[in-house]
Amino acid sequence: MITLRKPIKKYESEAMAFKQEFLNNGESVINGSELLDQMESYDEWLKSVTDNTSSETVSPSWVVTDTYFAFDDNDRLVGIIDLRHELNDFLKDFGNCGYSVRPSERRKGYATQMLELVIWRAAEVGMDKLQLSVEKSNTASIKTITKNGGKYARSFTFEGEEADVYFIDIEEKRKSTVILYVHGKGGSADEACHYKALFPDMDILGLDYKTDSPWETNKEIEKTVAILKKKYTRIILIANSIGAFYSMNADICKSIDHAFFISPMADMETLISNMMTWANVSEDDLKREKVIKTDFGEDLSWEYLCYVRDNPINWTVPTDILYGSADHLQSFESIKKFADRTGASLTVLQDGEHWFHTEDQMKFLDEWITKIEY
């Protein structure tokens, strides 16, 4: 997932390497860079973009502008994008935003993510629409704009190049619903694609979390939900297995409108106790060793057990649960107790497994999730 950061001195070496890659690729223009492509000194450029963020210090020939570096999950600077809060005579055709992705990182969907994030920055500063311009020949950028809701408005010619003007209605995008999918162990964010056909009128996002403990993954979920809250009116959560447990450990109840849990890990303490029994590990053993590897591939952790005990789940989101009667990780009694305590509805698929994967199981899941009103 892309994150946007304001330029600071700390990023000088990365920014100059970013610029050099364009030059090495035969590209002298870096769109959206606020003249990074023309300035030799990073300090000079940094002062310029910093001054331009305020109406009191902005250049007389320019408009208030926020410039952002885009970093990927590996903390690599992959793109740059700017947001011009208004348009002057020069910008009336060119619009509120320009962006570039470094040559080695193109065709990975980064531009689409960058623009999506900037749209919500625009909403935060009170803008109700975003104007963008793109050369007719730049099909990749046109796709980036239209994927973010851009609608064609008009065309113009600049220095012999034909270009189109698009508008993105920010308020219209805010009035939509997004589904956030949180996968289980061994799963992936790509599983979210399954739900696109079931909810064609909604945006679908799969969370590709990078950690595997509730005190870390919950922060990833909280961060994602906070971003989505600025973009959408409603957030629907679909969480599978331990993904549901991570979600319930996150502070997101006030932001989620409805949740669907599939084979949720609703009683983690009992599961850990069961695994200790299977591995013939006592509580004293685990407390002493801290971490014990098992023959069935799971690591038992004293820190994890203590966390579960010290942080009981307090889930208040309207929730529907789908459970398989042959689930070997969570008992029906545990799921029923959780459903009763939280007021969730509970649907049981006879002979259904913990991992819904067969054709019949997936058909049942699809019919279950699409018939519920929320």
PDB file of all heavy atoms in Angstrom, residues 194 198 321-324 346-350 352 356 358-371:
ATOM      1  N   HIS A 194     -12.848 -11.922  -5.038  1.00  0.00           N
ATOM      2  CA  HIS A 194     -14.025 -12.786  -5.099  1.00  0.00           C
ATOM      3  C   HIS A 194     -15.312 -12.007  -4.856  1.00  0.00           C
ATOM      4  O   HIS A 194     -16.371 -12.347  -5.413  1.00  0.00           O
ATOM      5  CB  HIS A 194     -13.899 -13.906  -4.048  1.00  0.00           C
ATOM      6  CG  HIS A 194     -15.125 -14.762  -3.928  1.00  0.00           C
ATOM      7  ND1 HIS A 194     -15.403 -15.787  -4.800  1.00  0.00           N
ATOM      8  CD2 HIS A 194     -16.160 -14.738  -3.037  1.00  0.00           C
ATOM      9  CE1 HIS A 194     -16.545 -16.359  -4.456  1.00  0.00           C
ATOM     10  NE2 HIS A 194     -17.021 -15.736  -3.385  1.00  0.00           N
ATOM     11  N   LEU A 198     -19.978  -9.985  -6.306  1.00  0.00           N
ATOM     12  CA  LEU A 198     -21.123 -10.006  -5.384  1.00  0.00           C
ATOM     13  C   LEU A 198     -21.583  -8.608  -5.024  1.00  0.00           C
ATOM     14  O   LEU A 198     -22.763  -8.395  -4.717  1.00  0.00           O
ATOM     15  CB  LEU A 198     -20.746 -10.768  -4.105  1.00  0.00           C
ATOM     16  CG  LEU A 198     -20.228 -12.199  -4.287  1.00  0.00           C
ATOM     17  CD1 LEU A 198     -19.905 -12.822  -2.938  1.00  0.00           C
ATOM     18  CD2 LEU A 198     -21.236 -13.045  -5.040  1.00  0.00           C
ATOM     19  N   ILE A 321     -22.323 -13.797  11.229  1.00  0.00           N
ATOM     20  CA  ILE A 321     -21.266 -14.805  11.289  1.00  0.00           C
ATOM     21  C   ILE A 321     -21.673 -16.032  10.488  1.00  0.00           C
ATOM     22  O   ILE A 321     -22.808 -16.520  10.600  1.00  0.00           O
ATOM     23  CB  ILE A 321     -20.985 -15.231  12.740  1.00  0.00           C
ATOM     24  CG1 ILE A 321     -20.522 -14.033  13.570  1.00  0.00           C
ATOM     25  CG2 ILE A 321     -19.941 -16.346  12.797  1.00  0.00           C
ATOM     26  CD1 ILE A 321     -20.418 -14.332  15.053  1.00  0.00           C
ATOM     27  N   LEU A 322     -20.725 -16.547   9.690  1.00  0.00           N
ATOM     28  CA  LEU A 322     -20.907 -17.813   8.995  1.00  0.00           C
ATOM     29  C   LEU A 322     -19.904 -18.805   9.569  1.00  0.00           C
ATOM     30  O   LEU A 322     -18.698 -18.532   9.612  1.00  0.00           O
ATOM     31  CB  LEU A 322     -20.674 -17.639   7.494  1.00  0.00           C
ATOM     32  CG  LEU A 322     -20.783 -18.908   6.643  1.00  0.00           C
ATOM     33  CD1 LEU A 322     -22.167 -19.533   6.772  1.00  0.00           C
ATOM     34  CD2 LEU A 322     -20.466 -18.601   5.179  1.00  0.00           C
ATOM     35  N   TYR A 323     -20.425 -19.969   9.993  1.00  0.00           N
ATOM     36  CA  TYR A 323     -19.601 -20.958  10.699  1.00  0.00           C
ATOM     37  C   TYR A 323     -19.867 -22.339  10.116  1.00  0.00           C
ATOM     38  O   TYR A 323     -21.003 -22.665   9.747  1.00  0.00           O
ATOM     39  CB  TYR A 323     -19.949 -20.928  12.190  1.00  0.00           C
ATOM     40  CG  TYR A 323     -19.321 -22.014  13.030  1.00  0.00           C
ATOM     41  CD1 TYR A 323     -18.000 -21.922  13.438  1.00  0.00           C
ATOM     42  CD2 TYR A 323     -20.061 -23.125  13.435  1.00  0.00           C
ATOM     43  CE1 TYR A 323     -17.423 -22.905  14.227  1.00  0.00           C
ATOM     44  CE2 TYR A 323     -19.506 -24.112  14.221  1.00  0.00           C
ATOM     45  CZ  TYR A 323     -18.188 -24.007  14.618  1.00  0.00           C
ATOM     46  OH  TYR A 323     -17.618 -24.994  15.399  1.00  0.00           O
ATOM     47  N   GLY A 324     -18.812 -23.125   9.995  1.00  0.00           N
ATOM     48  CA  GLY A 324     -18.963 -24.497   9.522  1.00  0.00           C
ATOM     49  C   GLY A 324     -18.995 -25.472  10.681  1.00  0.00           C
ATOM     50  O   GLY A 324     -18.161 -25.393  11.593  1.00  0.00           O
ATOM     51  N   LEU A 346     -25.934 -15.725  13.619  1.00  0.00           N
ATOM     52  CA  LEU A 346     -25.072 -16.885  13.402  1.00  0.00           C
ATOM     53  C   LEU A 346     -25.732 -17.851  12.435  1.00  0.00           C
ATOM     54  O   LEU A 346     -26.843 -18.322  12.673  1.00  0.00           O
ATOM     55  CB  LEU A 346     -24.769 -17.583  14.723  1.00  0.00           C
ATOM     56  CG  LEU A 346     -23.957 -18.888  14.636  1.00  0.00           C
ATOM     57  CD1 LEU A 346     -22.605 -18.644  13.974  1.00  0.00           C
ATOM     58  CD2 LEU A 346     -23.790 -19.495  16.033  1.00  0.00           C
ATOM     59  N   THR A 347     -25.043 -18.126  11.337  1.00  0.00           N
ATOM     60  CA  THR A 347     -25.496 -19.099  10.352  1.00  0.00           C
ATOM     61  C   THR A 347     -24.496 -20.244  10.320  1.00  0.00           C
ATOM     62  O   THR A 347     -23.279 -20.014  10.243  1.00  0.00           O
ATOM     63  CB  THR A 347     -25.602 -18.469   8.953  1.00  0.00           C
ATOM     64  OG1 THR A 347     -26.559 -17.407   8.990  1.00  0.00           O
ATOM     65  CG2 THR A 347     -26.049 -19.506   7.926  1.00  0.00           C
ATOM     66  N   VAL A 348     -24.998 -21.479  10.369  1.00  0.00           N
ATOM     67  CA  VAL A 348     -24.128 -22.653  10.417  1.00  0.00           C
ATOM     68  C   VAL A 348     -24.326 -23.484   9.151  1.00  0.00           C
ATOM     69  O   VAL A 348     -25.445 -23.845   8.795  1.00  0.00           O
ATOM     70  CB  VAL A 348     -24.422 -23.513  11.657  1.00  0.00           C
ATOM     71  CG1 VAL A 348     -23.524 -24.751  11.670  1.00  0.00           C
ATOM     72  CG2 VAL A 348     -24.236 -22.700  12.934  1.00  0.00           C
ATOM     73  N   LEU A 349     -23.228 -23.771   8.482  1.00  0.00           N
ATOM     74  CA  LEU A 349     -23.247 -24.675   7.329  1.00  0.00           C
ATOM     75  C   LEU A 349     -22.888 -26.070   7.824  1.00  0.00           C
ATOM     76  O   LEU A 349     -21.773 -26.304   8.303  1.00  0.00           O
ATOM     77  CB  LEU A 349     -22.253 -24.216   6.269  1.00  0.00           C
ATOM     78  CG  LEU A 349     -22.026 -25.184   5.099  1.00  0.00           C
ATOM     79  CD1 LEU A 349     -23.324 -25.447   4.346  1.00  0.00           C
ATOM     80  CD2 LEU A 349     -20.953 -24.665   4.152  1.00  0.00           C
ATOM     81  N   GLN A 350     -23.823 -27.009   7.730  1.00  0.00           N
ATOM     82  CA  GLN A 350     -23.566 -28.372   8.169  1.00  0.00           C
ATOM     83  C   GLN A 350     -22.429 -28.986   7.355  1.00  0.00           C
ATOM     84  O   GLN A 350     -22.409 -28.895   6.117  1.00  0.00           O
ATOM     85  CB  GLN A 350     -24.830 -29.221   8.025  1.00  0.00           C
ATOM     86  CG  GLN A 350     -25.941 -28.814   8.990  1.00  0.00           C
ATOM     87  CD  GLN A 350     -25.490 -28.884  10.443  1.00  0.00           C
ATOM     88  OE1 GLN A 350     -24.843 -29.847  10.866  1.00  0.00           O
ATOM     89  NE2 GLN A 350     -25.824 -27.848  11.215  1.00  0.00           N
ATOM     90  N   GLY A 352     -19.595 -27.895   7.061  1.00  0.00           N
ATOM     91  CA  GLY A 352     -18.679 -26.874   6.548  1.00  0.00           C
ATOM     92  C   GLY A 352     -17.378 -26.885   7.330  1.00  0.00           C
ATOM     93  O   GLY A 352     -17.379 -27.093   8.545  1.00  0.00           O
ATOM     94  N   PHE A 356     -13.533 -22.226   4.054  1.00  0.00           N
ATOM     95  CA  PHE A 356     -14.533 -22.405   3.010  1.00  0.00           C
ATOM     96  C   PHE A 356     -13.804 -22.367   1.665  1.00  0.00           C
ATOM     97  O   PHE A 356     -13.236 -21.342   1.284  1.00  0.00           O
ATOM     98  CB  PHE A 356     -15.578 -21.290   3.081  1.00  0.00           C
ATOM     99  CG  PHE A 356     -16.610 -21.493   4.150  1.00  0.00           C
ATOM    100  CD1 PHE A 356     -16.257 -21.492   5.495  1.00  0.00           C
ATOM    101  CD2 PHE A 356     -17.937 -21.698   3.819  1.00  0.00           C
ATOM    102  CE1 PHE A 356     -17.199 -21.688   6.486  1.00  0.00           C
ATOM    103  CE2 PHE A 356     -18.906 -21.893   4.805  1.00  0.00           C
ATOM    104  CZ  PHE A 356     -18.533 -21.893   6.151  1.00  0.00           C
ATOM    105  N   THR A 358     -14.524 -25.361  -1.032  1.00  0.00           N
ATOM    106  CA  THR A 358     -15.116 -26.196  -2.070  1.00  0.00           C
ATOM    107  C   THR A 358     -16.187 -25.402  -2.818  1.00  0.00           C
ATOM    108  O   THR A 358     -16.646 -24.351  -2.362  1.00  0.00           O
ATOM    109  CB  THR A 358     -15.753 -27.454  -1.474  1.00  0.00           C
ATOM    110  OG1 THR A 358     -16.894 -27.081  -0.691  1.00  0.00           O
ATOM    111  CG2 THR A 358     -14.764 -28.215  -0.592  1.00  0.00           C
ATOM    112  N   GLU A 359     -16.594 -25.922  -3.958  1.00  0.00           N
ATOM    113  CA  GLU A 359     -17.602 -25.241  -4.765  1.00  0.00           C
ATOM    114  C   GLU A 359     -18.904 -25.062  -3.985  1.00  0.00           C
ATOM    115  O   GLU A 359     -19.515 -23.980  -4.002  1.00  0.00           O
ATOM    116  CB  GLU A 359     -17.860 -26.026  -6.053  1.00  0.00           C
ATOM    117  CG  GLU A 359     -18.852 -25.351  -6.986  1.00  0.00           C
ATOM    118  CD  GLU A 359     -19.040 -26.120  -8.287  1.00  0.00           C
ATOM    119  OE1 GLU A 359     -18.215 -27.019  -8.569  1.00  0.00           O
ATOM    120  OE2 GLU A 359     -19.997 -25.805  -9.019  1.00  0.00           O
ATOM    121  N   ASP A 360     -19.333 -26.105  -3.272  1.00  0.00           N
ATOM    122  CA  ASP A 360     -20.572 -26.009  -2.511  1.00  0.00           C
ATOM    123  C   ASP A 360     -20.447 -25.030  -1.342  1.00  0.00           C
ATOM    124  O   ASP A 360     -21.387 -24.273  -1.054  1.00  0.00           O
ATOM    125  CB  ASP A 360     -20.969 -27.392  -1.973  1.00  0.00           C
ATOM    126  CG  ASP A 360     -21.477 -28.318  -3.069  1.00  0.00           C
ATOM    127  OD1 ASP A 360     -21.819 -27.811  -4.154  1.00  0.00           O
ATOM    128  OD2 ASP A 360     -21.514 -29.545  -2.838  1.00  0.00           O
ATOM    129  N   GLN A 361     -19.297 -25.058  -0.677  1.00  0.00           N
ATOM    130  CA  GLN A 361     -19.104 -24.142   0.444  1.00  0.00           C
ATOM    131  C   GLN A 361     -19.098 -22.687  -0.023  1.00  0.00           C
ATOM    132  O   GLN A 361     -19.698 -21.819   0.615  1.00  0.00           O
ATOM    133  CB  GLN A 361     -17.787 -24.474   1.154  1.00  0.00           C
ATOM    134  CG  GLN A 361     -17.817 -25.775   1.924  1.00  0.00           C
ATOM    135  CD  GLN A 361     -16.446 -26.206   2.406  1.00  0.00           C
ATOM    136  OE1 GLN A 361     -15.432 -25.557   2.117  1.00  0.00           O
ATOM    137  NE2 GLN A 361     -16.392 -27.328   3.110  1.00  0.00           N
ATOM    138  N   MET A 362     -18.428 -22.410  -1.137  1.00  0.00           N
ATOM    139  CA  MET A 362     -18.369 -21.044  -1.641  1.00  0.00           C
ATOM    140  C   MET A 362     -19.732 -20.579  -2.161  1.00  0.00           C
ATOM    141  O   MET A 362     -20.091 -19.404  -2.025  1.00  0.00           O
ATOM    142  CB  MET A 362     -17.315 -20.935  -2.746  1.00  0.00           C
ATOM    143  CG  MET A 362     -15.891 -21.168  -2.254  1.00  0.00           C
ATOM    144  SD  MET A 362     -15.438 -20.092  -0.867  1.00  0.00           S
ATOM    145  CE  MET A 362     -15.541 -18.479  -1.640  1.00  0.00           C
ATOM    146  N   LYS A 363     -20.492 -21.503  -2.733  1.00  0.00           N
ATOM    147  CA  LYS A 363     -21.835 -21.154  -3.183  1.00  0.00           C
ATOM    148  C   LYS A 363     -22.707 -20.780  -1.990  1.00  0.00           C
ATOM    149  O   LYS A 363     -23.469 -19.803  -2.037  1.00  0.00           O
ATOM    150  CB  LYS A 363     -22.457 -22.326  -3.942  1.00  0.00           C
ATOM    151  CG  LYS A 363     -23.868 -22.043  -4.447  1.00  0.00           C
ATOM    152  CD  LYS A 363     -24.446 -23.243  -5.183  1.00  0.00           C
ATOM    153  CE  LYS A 363     -25.878 -22.949  -5.649  1.00  0.00           C
ATOM    154  NZ  LYS A 363     -26.472 -24.140  -6.327  1.00  0.00           N
ATOM    155  N   PHE A 364     -22.578 -21.543  -0.917  1.00  0.00           N
ATOM    156  CA  PHE A 364     -23.339 -21.248   0.300  1.00  0.00           C
ATOM    157  C   PHE A 364     -22.932 -19.883   0.856  1.00  0.00           C
ATOM    158  O   PHE A 364     -23.786 -19.075   1.249  1.00  0.00           O
ATOM    159  CB  PHE A 364     -23.101 -22.338   1.344  1.00  0.00           C
ATOM    160  CG  PHE A 364     -23.996 -22.239   2.544  1.00  0.00           C
ATOM    161  CD1 PHE A 364     -25.191 -22.943   2.602  1.00  0.00           C
ATOM    162  CD2 PHE A 364     -23.654 -21.426   3.625  1.00  0.00           C
ATOM    163  CE1 PHE A 364     -26.021 -22.843   3.713  1.00  0.00           C
ATOM    164  CE2 PHE A 364     -24.465 -21.320   4.732  1.00  0.00           C
ATOM    165  CZ  PHE A 364     -25.657 -22.026   4.780  1.00  0.00           C
ATOM    166  N   LEU A 365     -21.625 -19.631   0.895  1.00  0.00           N
ATOM    167  CA  LEU A 365     -21.116 -18.346   1.393  1.00  0.00           C
ATOM    168  C   LEU A 365     -21.679 -17.189   0.569  1.00  0.00           C
ATOM    169  O   LEU A 365     -22.142 -16.182   1.126  1.00  0.00           O
ATOM    170  CB  LEU A 365     -19.593 -18.345   1.348  1.00  0.00           C
ATOM    171  CG  LEU A 365     -18.831 -17.155   1.957  1.00  0.00           C
ATOM    172  CD1 LEU A 365     -17.401 -17.566   2.294  1.00  0.00           C
ATOM    173  CD2 LEU A 365     -18.779 -15.950   1.024  1.00  0.00           C
ATOM    174  N   ASP A 366     -21.631 -17.327  -0.751  1.00  0.00           N
ATOM    175  CA  ASP A 366     -22.095 -16.250  -1.623  1.00  0.00           C
ATOM    176  C   ASP A 366     -23.578 -15.964  -1.421  1.00  0.00           C
ATOM    177  O   ASP A 366     -24.001 -14.802  -1.370  1.00  0.00           O
ATOM    178  CB  ASP A 366     -21.832 -16.600  -3.083  1.00  0.00           C
ATOM    179  CG  ASP A 366     -20.348 -16.639  -3.418  1.00  0.00           C
ATOM    180  OD1 ASP A 366     -19.546 -16.204  -2.567  1.00  0.00           O
ATOM    181  OD2 ASP A 366     -19.997 -17.100  -4.522  1.00  0.00           O
ATOM    182  N   GLU A 367     -24.367 -17.019  -1.312  1.00  0.00           N
ATOM    183  CA  GLU A 367     -25.805 -16.831  -1.111  1.00  0.00           C
ATOM    184  C   GLU A 367     -26.085 -16.212   0.257  1.00  0.00           C
ATOM    185  O   GLU A 367     -26.971 -15.372   0.398  1.00  0.00           O
ATOM    186  CB  GLU A 367     -26.525 -18.170  -1.260  1.00  0.00           C
ATOM    187  CG  GLU A 367     -26.495 -18.709  -2.692  1.00  0.00           C
ATOM    188  CD  GLU A 367     -27.112 -20.083  -2.804  1.00  0.00           C
ATOM    189  OE1 GLU A 367     -27.403 -20.705  -1.735  1.00  0.00           O
ATOM    190  OE2 GLU A 367     -27.301 -20.562  -3.940  1.00  0.00           O
ATOM    191  N   TRP A 368     -25.319 -16.631   1.254  1.00  0.00           N
ATOM    192  CA  TRP A 368     -25.486 -16.091   2.608  1.00  0.00           C
ATOM    193  C   TRP A 368     -25.181 -14.601   2.661  1.00  0.00           C
ATOM    194  O   TRP A 368     -25.965 -13.810   3.198  1.00  0.00           O
ATOM    195  CB  TRP A 368     -24.576 -16.858   3.564  1.00  0.00           C
ATOM    196  CG  TRP A 368     -24.368 -16.213   4.900  1.00  0.00           C
ATOM    197  CD1 TRP A 368     -25.240 -16.186   5.943  1.00  0.00           C
ATOM    198  CD2 TRP A 368     -23.205 -15.486   5.335  1.00  0.00           C
ATOM    199  NE1 TRP A 368     -24.697 -15.501   7.000  1.00  0.00           N
ATOM    200  CE2 TRP A 368     -23.451 -15.063   6.652  1.00  0.00           C
ATOM    201  CE3 TRP A 368     -21.981 -15.175   4.740  1.00  0.00           C
ATOM    202  CZ2 TRP A 368     -22.511 -14.322   7.387  1.00  0.00           C
ATOM    203  CZ3 TRP A 368     -21.057 -14.449   5.464  1.00  0.00           C
ATOM    204  CH2 TRP A 368     -21.313 -14.022   6.766  1.00  0.00           C
ATOM    205  N   ILE A 369     -24.068 -14.200   2.089  1.00  0.00           N
ATOM    206  CA  ILE A 369     -23.607 -12.820   2.252  1.00  0.00           C
ATOM    207  C   ILE A 369     -24.418 -11.838   1.402  1.00  0.00           C
ATOM    208  O   ILE A 369     -24.535 -10.660   1.760  1.00  0.00           O
ATOM    209  CB  ILE A 369     -22.101 -12.717   1.925  1.00  0.00           C
ATOM    210  CG1 ILE A 369     -21.485 -11.503   2.626  1.00  0.00           C
ATOM    211  CG2 ILE A 369     -21.852 -12.664   0.426  1.00  0.00           C
ATOM    212  CD1 ILE A 369     -19.968 -11.482   2.601  1.00  0.00           C
ATOM    213  N   THR A 370     -24.987 -12.299   0.300  1.00  0.00           N
ATOM    214  CA  THR A 370     -25.707 -11.379  -0.567  1.00  0.00           C
ATOM    215  C   THR A 370     -27.176 -11.225  -0.178  1.00  0.00           C
ATOM    216  O   THR A 370     -27.828 -10.274  -0.620  1.00  0.00           O
ATOM    217  CB  THR A 370     -25.646 -11.852  -2.026  1.00  0.00           C
ATOM    218  OG1 THR A 370     -26.063 -13.232  -2.116  1.00  0.00           O
ATOM    219  CG2 THR A 370     -24.236 -11.722  -2.561  1.00  0.00           C
ATOM    220  N   LYS A 371     -27.706 -12.107   0.646  1.00  0.00           N
ATOM    221  CA  LYS A 371     -29.118 -11.989   1.001  1.00  0.00           C
ATOM    222  C   LYS A 371     -29.323 -11.201   2.300  1.00  0.00           C
ATOM    223  O   LYS A 371     -30.471 -10.871   2.644  1.00  0.00           O
ATOM    224  CB  LYS A 371     -29.749 -13.382   1.138  1.00  0.00           C
ATOM    225  CG  LYS A 371     -29.315 -14.167   2.353  1.00  0.00           C
ATOM    226  CD  LYS A 371     -29.973 -15.538   2.395  1.00  0.00           C
ATOM    227  CE  LYS A 371     -29.550 -16.339   3.627  1.00  0.00           C
ATOM    228  NZ  LYS A 371     -30.159 -17.679   3.642  1.00  0.00           N
TER     229      LYS A 371
END
